[in-house]
Amino acid sequence: MTPGRLELHEDALVGVQLKFGQGLGSYNEAGHFVANGTGDIEQDFEQDAFAALRFSRRGQAAVLVPLIETRRV
């Protein structure tokens, strides 16, 4: 599902959504949470480009193209 939705009076839209997150740890094979070690960093960046187009009074189509980067130190 895209973050953009057309109202009845709109014909098209384009947009960008930006997200940022930082990982605090991970789960091991036993399913237990393990915190990052001192100095370990995991950052996630996501940019989503999206567009929607109305093709009939009650019909619209949308596309979302994600770009995701992860930085681990």
Side-chain angles (χ1 to χ4, degrees), residues 1 3 10 15 22-23 29-30 34-36 38 41 63-64 66 68 71 73:
M1 180 142 79
E10 297 174 325
Q22 185 157 338
E29 56 278 347
V34 179
N36 284 346
T38 303
I41 298 172
V63 63
L64 176 86
I68 303 169
R71 176 179 176 250
V73 179

Side-chain angles (χ1 to χ4, degrees), residues 1-69:
M1 180 142 79
T2 63
R5 181 175 178 265
L6 296 171
E7 295 292 332
L8 288 175
H9 65 279
E10 297 174 325
D11 294 325
L13 72 81
V14 294
V16 176
Q17 177 173 272
L18 305 173
K19 298 177 189 175
F20 170 79
Q22 185 157 338
L24 302 176
S26 60
Y27 291 91
N28 64 16
E29 56 278 347
H32 301 284
F33 183 77
V34 179
N36 284 346
T38 303
D40 291 344
I41 298 172
E42 180 177 332
Q43 296 173 326
D44 299 316
F45 303 95
E46 181 176 349
Q47 304 85 41
D48 298 328
F50 59 91
L53 182 65
R54 180 169 304 287
F55 57 85
S56 72
R57 176 152 163 55
R58 296 196 177 259
Q60 59 184 279
V63 63
L64 176 86
V65 179
L67 176 62
I68 303 169
E69 304 102 42

